[in-house]
Amino acid sequence: MHVEFGNSFKKFYKTGNFWCDLYPTTKLILCFTVAMSTIVMNNWIYGFSVCLFYFIFAFFTGHGKQFTKTFLILFVIIGLFLVVIRQVGMRTGNVTPMFEIFGWIWYRESFITSLDVSSYMLGFAGGILLFFDTTPMRDLMYAFEHMGVSHVTSFIMLSSMQNIIDLRKTSVAILESQKSRGIETDGNILVRSKAFFPTISPLILGAFSSTEEKSIAMDARAFSVKRKHTFLRELKPMSQIEKILCLLFSLALISLTVWKIAAALIK
Amino acid sequence: MANQKGKIDKLSLFLIPIGIAVNFIGGQIAILLKLPLYLDAIGTIVVAALCGYWPGIVVGLVSNILNAISSPTTLFYAPLNMAFAVVAVILSKRKWFKNFFKTVLSALFFALIGGGIGACITWLVYGFDFGSGVSAMFSIPLHQTLGLPKFVAQFIAETSIDVLDKVITVIAVFGVLKAIPMRFLAKLPLGRIYIKDAEMYEDDED
């Protein structure tokens, strides 16, 4: 059993899912080009079709639940809110009434404009969400390090994520402690603002004080050694098919952009 | 010890992840206390004020990249946090954060960046119209009742919201800078600015 465990590190890490096992930069390029294409197209039919595709794809990769949860929040904040904002804020160009809600007339022109804007915002956001939902940050950093990015960048990204988790726990503990010693956290905005300082200050000072020890500990683990790093978990390198796919998607985005600019100039 | 030829010294490097985490947690505490504010630039300003341009800019940029994991549209606003770092270094070098009133006054610069550049980004991203954030709730009445152009209304709304946010932010920064131990400050590139009677110690060394 121990041998089996040891041998598992000799193979490339795999999840068994076609999408999740793609090289992180392949996923990044594919998601980013599709996300950017919604901005370039600026068309609600295209934008929302891409969003629907994201949903189906997220379920296919086994991350549907996680994706839906975050995407729905964005859909309400960006999508629905923007539609209402445009109906209230857009006054010029509205000529075709659509329907009426308690005397408030909704116009087709501002409705279509809001759909266009919210579709590319959600199209862009969805692509980035899908990428981060299906790609662990350590895998992305692994790919970047293989491209020549310094291991310091990986440290900053991964350590920040860990620090967020640690400091979140500490902040709750500090807030509870401050409450127990009588600091008001309820009341008007001024009272609540005052409670902010005794919570954030010890949090930052405590985090800062641990930095020196961390610096020594990292040096003891050869953080500053300038030589090629090894990885416990290796990912399968980018295949030829992945390279061709990335090239095709990038070319498609460039062509789409040129076509849109040319069409705008001709107009 | 200090920044040489754009290189980040080791202690500053280890402060970067903390600055990023503080940016996040500041916003989280604001939510816990039900404050209608962002308070997400404290880490950027503290690290920039103590460590210089590059560490501050990295904190600002990475904060927005990590924020994009749950809210990708924050990526568009990354230049804001990076601009906060640049301004924080300039003000720190001019010793503004050593004086409470100057510190509070500095909130105006940060609010102008947050509101000004923020309004420009919102304007571009949302198709040259109002955004979908809290500022839209203030900018639309400004546009409709006072007849202000949409961009001006958006600019005024975003700057006004940012003033209160940045006043609280810089007061927190002032408190933190005051409370950091001298022996720790001495190891940071711009820490000397915040050491009491630093010039006197230098004279003694001479």
Side-chain angles (χ1 to χ4, degrees):
Chain A
M1 191 190 163
H2 295 302
V3 176
E4 199 179 312
F5 177 74
N7 283 340
S8 69
F9 291 101
K10 288 181 182 171
K11 296 174 198 161
F12 291 125
Y13 177 78
K14 278 188 175 181
T15 60
N17 184 283
F18 157 73
W19 173 258
C20 295
D21 286 339
L22 286 179
Y23 200 63
T25 37
T26 307
K27 285 187 267 180
L28 179 67
I29 292 169
L30 299 186
C31 285
F32 188 72
T33 47
V34 174
M36 285 304 289
S37 73
T38 58
I39 297 178
V40 176
M41 283 298 283
N42 191 13
N43 177 290
W44 68 272
I45 299 170
Y46 177 78
F48 286 122
S49 305
V50 168
C51 289
L52 188 69
F53 170 75
Y54 288 150
F55 265 107
I56 298 165
F57 205 76
F59 277 101
F60 165 72
T61 61
H63 292 82
K65 215 172 167 184
Q66 194 184 342
F67 178 82
T68 309
K69 200 178 149 191
T70 326
F71 193 79
L72 281 182
I73 296 170
L74 289 175
F75 180 76
V76 172
I77 297 171
I78 299 171
L80 294 183
F81 195 62
L82 200 70
V83 169
V84 177
I85 291 285
R86 285 291 178 277
Q87 284 299 329
V88 179
M90 201 169 136
R91 283 177 157 185
T92 48
N94 278 337
V95 281
T96 325
M98 264 169 51
F99 52 84
E100 194 180 317
I101 308 170
F102 302 114
W104 177 22
I105 304 164
W106 280 48
Y107 289 94
R108 189 184 149 78
E109 287 75 14
S110 45
F111 187 69
I112 296 293
T113 310
S114 64
L115 285 185
D116 283 341
V117 176
S118 56
S119 73
Y120 75 64
M121 293 293 283
L122 289 169
F124 177 80
I128 307 293
L129 272 186
L130 186 67
F131 170 71
F132 280 118
D133 277 354
T134 54
T135 316
M137 188 59 90
R138 64 174 173 167
D139 286 357
L140 181 65
M141 287 301 127
Y142 169 91
F144 281 165
E145 276 194 51
H146 276 269
M147 283 167 68
V149 174
S150 163
H151 69 283
V152 171
T153 316
S154 302
F155 164 76
I156 291 173
M157 300 298 277
L158 299 174
S159 176
S160 302
M161 293 182 84
Q162 188 54 46
N163 271 320
I164 291 167
I165 298 165
D166 295 343
L167 289 192
R168 186 176 289 152
K169 281 181 198 159
T170 317
S171 71
V172 174
I174 293 171
L175 194 63
E176 290 303 317
S177 313
Q178 298 288 25
K179 266 186 199 173
S180 66
R181 77 172 182 95
I183 278 190
E184 285 286 333
T185 54
D186 295 310
N188 63 38
I189 189 165
L190 200 69
V191 174
R192 283 180 279 136
S193 301
K194 276 183 193 166
F196 179 74
F197 304 112
T199 313
I200 197 84
S201 307
L203 184 80
I204 300 174
L205 293 170
F208 273 27
S209 67
S210 67
T211 319
E212 274 183 283
E213 288 92 71
K214 202 179 276 178
S215 167
I216 296 162
M218 291 296 278
D219 262 344
R221 304 288 294 176
F223 180 76
S224 310
V225 172
K226 285 184 176 66
R227 61 182 302 168
K228 203 178 174 216
H229 284 223
T230 54
F231 300 89
L232 187 61
R233 210 178 90 163
E234 296 272 358
L235 297 178
K236 196 182 160 203
M238 199 189 258
S239 65
Q240 285 298 324
I241 297 168
E242 286 181 54
K243 283 178 188 167
I244 293 167
L245 209 61
C246 289
L247 191 71
L248 284 177
F249 270 69
S250 306
L251 284 175
L253 179 67
I254 294 166
S255 315
L256 192 69
T257 313
V258 171
W259 171 61
K260 282 298 251 184
I261 292 170
L265 288 175
I266 290 165
K267 236 187 227 178
Chain B
M1 182 185 79
N3 279 358
Q4 284 165 354
K5 293 175 189 172
K7 270 197 162 186
I8 299 174
D9 65 293
K10 210 170 289 163
L11 200 55
S12 301
L13 181 71
F14 289 112
L15 282 180
I16 291 173
I18 291 172
I20 294 162
V22 167
N23 279 349
F24 269 81
I25 305 303
Q28 299 262 315
I29 297 172
I31 294 167
L32 280 174
L33 292 169
K34 297 177 208 109
L35 294 171
L37 305 165
Y38 311 115
L39 301 172
D40 58 355
I42 298 172
T44 308
I45 298 173
V46 170
V47 172
L50 290 172
C51 306
Y53 290 108
W54 287 113
I57 289 171
V58 172
V59 170
L61 178 67
V62 178
S63 294
N64 279 60
I65 291 174
L66 291 183
N67 240 328
I69 294 173
S70 58
S71 176
T73 47
T74 51
L75 266 182
F76 298 120
Y77 295 89
L80 282 187
N81 239 334
M82 289 153 77
F84 289 153
V86 173
V87 174
V89 176
I90 294 166
L91 295 178
S92 179
K93 283 183 175 171
R94 288 171 190 262
K95 299 177 182 178
W96 274 50
F97 295 125
K98 282 186 89 174
N99 180 298
F100 182 76
F101 293 104
K102 278 187 177 176
T103 303
V104 175
L105 196 67
S106 72
L108 277 179
F109 292 109
F110 292 114
L112 274 173
I113 291 170
I117 305 178
C120 292
I121 295 171
T122 304
W123 193 247
L124 282 171
V125 169
Y126 285 88
F128 308 101
D129 213 312
F130 298 121
S132 70
V134 185
S135 60
M137 292 180 197
F138 295 95
S139 49
I140 290 173
L142 281 175
H143 167 63
Q144 294 193 336
T145 53
L146 299 176
L148 292 173
K150 282 182 180 178
F151 178 76
V152 177
Q154 181 79 26
F155 177 84
I156 293 171
E158 288 208 16
T159 309
S160 312
I161 295 167
D162 253 41
V163 168
L164 182 63
D165 181 64
K166 293 301 175 290
V167 165
I168 294 178
T169 297
V170 293
I171 292 174
V173 169
F174 179 79
V176 169
L177 292 176
K178 273 255 175 221
I180 293 177
M182 217 196 302
R183 52 174 282 278
F184 187 74
L185 285 173
K187 292 170 190 167
L188 295 168
L190 299 180
R192 211 179 61 87
I193 295 166
Y194 302 95
I195 297 174
K196 220 176 176 185
D197 306 323
E199 290 84 3
M200 197 180 78
Y201 291 118
E202 262 178 14
D203 291 343
D204 286 350
E205 277 172 22
D206 295 337

